[in-house]
């Protein structure tokens, strides 16, 4: 009985570690190694914020074209406006 519980717990821990590793690999492919180093360096300041920072970076990545277009429209000088 104890051996089965120990084996089940070991398998669960292994799967959780593998999932974490794949998550970090996904983040590295999403934001890059240098940005991941900055985010992981942020862990000493506020470790609870890391998932939120990664989610914000992922949202920014997926909507980068829209953000780029929005930035261009903000930066574009307006011509034809009466002053």
């Amino acid at each position: 009985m104890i051996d089965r519980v120990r084996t089940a717990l070991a398998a669960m821990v292994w799967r959780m570690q593998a999932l974490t590793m794949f998550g970090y690999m996904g983040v590295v492919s999403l934001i890059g190694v240098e940005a991941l180093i900055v985010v992981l360096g942020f862990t000493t300041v506020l470790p609870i914020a890391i998932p939120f920072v990664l989610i914000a970076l992922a949202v920014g990545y997926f909507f980068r074209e829209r953000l780029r277009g929005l930035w261009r429209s903000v930066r574009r000088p307006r011509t034809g406006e009466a002053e």
Side-chain angles (χ1 to χ4, degrees):
M1 173 73 177
I2 299 293
D3 288 335
R4 285 194 313 199
V5 171
R6 185 178 297 155
T7 303
L9 282 173
M12 183 183 69
V13 167
W14 186 85
R15 286 183 182 127
M16 289 173 65
Q17 288 175 342
L19 181 65
T20 303
M21 182 208 47
F22 286 129
Y24 276 115
M25 287 174 59
V27 169
V28 166
S29 69
L30 187 68
I31 64 175
V33 175
E34 291 83 8
L36 181 66
I37 291 169
V38 170
V39 169
L40 291 178
F42 187 65
T43 60
T44 58
V45 178
L46 189 61
I48 194 70
I50 289 177
F52 303 112
V53 169
L54 295 179
I55 289 169
L57 289 170
V59 167
Y61 177 80
F62 286 119
F63 292 110
R64 68 186 184 274
E65 292 301 322
R66 290 185 183 178
L67 290 172
R68 196 175 292 147
L70 180 66
W71 181 250
R72 282 188 200 129
S73 69
V74 168
R75 298 281 297 171
R76 186 179 315 139
R78 294 204 169 99
T79 57
E81 276 189 13
E83 293 184 18

